[in-house]
Amino acid sequence: MQRRVSMADVAAAAGVSGQTVSRVVNGSPRVDPDTRARIETAMAELGYRPHRAARALRTGRSGTIGVIVATLATVGNSRMLEAVASAAAHRELAVTLVALAERADIAAAFDRLHDLGVDGAIVLNEASAIAEGVTAPQGLALVAVDSPGGAFATVQSDHAGGAEAATRRLRDAGRRSIAHVAGPAGSYAAAERERGWRAAHDGAPAPEPLRGDWGAASGHAAGRRLAADADVDAVFAANDQMALGVLRALAEAGRDDVAVIGFDDVADAADYRPPLTTVRQDFAALGEAAVAALAATLDGAPPTRTVVPTTLIARASG
């Protein structure tokens, strides 16, 4: 029977110590990127696969992380989950998902993950707001995505910066009355995008935003109200799905004079009519940052705050 490839074999092939290989296998961020790449290449060439049971006994870690999410109905949540799962798989980590049926379930979700023996958990978007003020079980490391922060590490897109860049693009194009279709109250990302929209007004009065629920139907309802206002010549929507609803309402009202910008850069944004100018979130970078922050927390690092840049993608709508 062929001998199983060991960490010592990988260390010899990569020219590093066994401890350095162990750090890479266990997802520690405390490895130089070039060294990590060399070790990962040696693993691939030798066909090394971590022995999970042995690693758990040696390190006291299960090699499994939890993800807590309030809903998967929104594009942002589903893409963030995909990104976290991909980043975890790259580190040879398994993922256990807990979806919240009600706000009160967050403490039960923490307890469930703790009982399952996960090493730590990443709390996504709306669930991060729900988790505020709830104490996690002792020994359960946490990272929150889209949260004002506190006792645990946080990761987020530059929501405010992206929203401000989008709104300034409209202002620079000569648009005078830039309405905002905001996300739901209580959403940190929605509040940050509204903050960026307001900042782009440079202290000038801004109209009261209309609030949606991230869905296209709520964008359509807001768009009908905005289409009836002859002064409105531009709309910044807090996500692309609501922007789609706004575009439909404007088209129905014959308002082809109104510019529209969204947020997220969903896969179909370039195929909207007209193609949608939007702010792109780097979900792959967000997922990697969240998993890296969790690994650092498990290694004893203090809580950190990571902000991932956004990019304005210019198309025909705005």
Side-chain angles (χ1 to χ4, degrees):
M1 184 172 64
Q2 186 175 7
R3 183 176 69 87
R4 184 185 181 95
V5 178
S6 69
M7 275 194 200
D9 297 326
V10 175
V16 299
S17 69
Q19 185 180 30
T20 303
V21 175
S22 178
R23 285 175 179 161
V24 171
V25 169
N26 290 306
S28 171
R30 297 187 297 176
V31 180
D32 176 78
D34 291 338
T35 302
R36 182 185 300 278
R38 194 162 71 250
I39 292 170
E40 290 174 344
T41 297
M43 288 178 179
E45 291 176 348
L46 295 174
Y48 173 78
R49 291 291 181 271
H51 192 290
R52 290 191 179 276
R55 181 170 68 179
L57 288 172
R58 184 177 64 255
T59 66
R61 297 182 185 176
S62 65
T64 300
I65 63 172
V67 176
I68 300 175
V69 62
T71 176
L72 289 174
T74 63
V75 171
N77 280 5
S78 60
R79 290 184 67 183
M80 192 65 211
L81 174 60
E82 180 183 26
V84 168
S86 177
H90 184 70
R91 294 171 180 260
E92 300 283 347
L93 298 172
V95 173
T96 295
L97 175 67
V98 175
L100 301 178
E102 299 178 2
R103 291 181 65 91
D105 287 348
I106 187 68
F110 285 153
D111 289 339
R112 179 182 175 190
L113 289 173
H114 185 260
D115 291 345
L116 288 171
V118 302
D119 298 324
I122 297 172
V123 189
L124 299 189
N125 306 348
E126 291 87 355
S128 295
I130 298 171
E132 289 178 24
V134 179
T135 302
Q138 184 69 30
L140 182 65
L142 291 178
V143 171
V145 177
D146 284 348
S147 170
F152 36 79
T154 62
V155 173
Q156 68 170 78
S157 287
D158 184 8
H159 300 290
E164 183 173 354
T167 309
R168 289 197 182 280
R169 173 182 171 83
L170 294 168
R171 289 192 64 189
D172 291 345
R175 303 291 174 169
R176 302 176 308 282
S177 179
I178 304 169
H180 180 42
V181 180
S187 165
Y188 176 77
E192 285 292 281
R193 293 171 197 180
E194 181 179 336
R195 183 168 70 87
W197 166 74
R198 290 186 184 279
H201 284 78
D202 295 325
E208 189 65 24
L210 302 181
R211 199 163 297 281
D213 62 6
W214 298 128
S218 69
H220 181 257
R224 290 181 64 182
R225 291 177 60 183
L226 296 172
D229 185 343
D231 291 335
V232 172
D233 59 0
V235 180
F236 168 57
N239 77 337
D240 290 349
Q241 288 169 290
M242 292 194 298
L244 175 61
V246 170
L247 287 172
R248 177 189 161 203
L250 293 172
E252 290 169 346
R255 291 293 306 274
D256 58 2
D257 59 317
V258 181
V260 177
I261 295 181
F263 202 109
D264 282 341
D265 194 29
V266 299
D268 297 329
D271 294 314
Y272 284 11
R273 184 176 181 184
L276 183 66
T277 295
T278 185
V279 179
R280 176 178 293 166
Q281 294 196 76
D282 189 342
F283 285 101
L286 286 165
E288 175 57 34
V291 174
L294 187 58
T297 300
L298 289 166
D299 281 346
T304 57
R305 185 170 189 79
T306 303
V307 179
V308 177
T310 54
T311 305
L312 183 64
I313 305 298
R315 298 192 180 102
S317 73

